[in-house]
Amino acid sequence: MPVSSDFVRELFAAANQIHLMSRLEAQRLIERAATTIDDQRERLAVSTNVVPLTQDLTADLPKLLANLDRIPPELLAVVLIRCADEITRLERLAQ
């Protein structure tokens, strides 16, 4: 099982317990997810003919992180779930 699968489970678990997480924990998970997504997209671009372009919430993660203190927990949960979905999608494209 790929390491990213463990991280996807971690993101879903965090989304389900978002009210118990500190903002710093959420920030770290989102930053890690952004890095994972960027790495996966880069690997796909280099190793396959697949172009993993998507315009969604994950494209605005840097802007979201800059305004993290103003984002309600429910939206942070959605962000974590969308990141998990994108990581899973990119993982499937790489197979």
Side-chain angles (χ1 to χ4, degrees):
M1 185 173 294
V3 174
S4 59
S5 296
D6 291 337
F7 183 46
V8 166
R9 279 194 294 278
E10 186 179 346
L11 290 170
F12 277 113
N16 286 322
Q17 298 179 353
I18 195 68
H19 291 287
L20 302 176
M21 292 182 66
S22 71
R23 289 291 174 152
L24 183 59
E25 289 173 307
Q27 178 181 348
R28 287 182 181 157
L29 278 174
I30 293 169
E31 287 171 347
R32 187 170 154 209
T35 300
T36 301
I37 290 166
D38 287 344
D39 290 347
Q40 285 180 309
R41 287 181 178 165
E42 187 175 313
R43 272 186 270 134
L44 274 172
V46 170
S47 66
T48 67
N49 290 331
V50 176
V51 179
L53 298 178
T54 54
Q55 278 294 15
D56 64 358
L57 186 61
T58 60
D60 291 327
L61 289 178
K63 191 184 305 182
L64 182 133
L65 286 168
N67 296 299
L68 193 66
D69 291 339
R70 292 181 265 174
I71 298 173
E74 295 79 12
L75 182 55
L76 288 177
V78 170
V79 170
L80 293 171
I81 291 169
R82 294 291 296 271
C83 287
D85 288 344
E86 182 67 358
I87 290 168
T88 302
R89 185 183 77 80
L90 291 169
E91 193 172 273
R92 286 185 185 137
L93 285 174
Q95 295 176 352

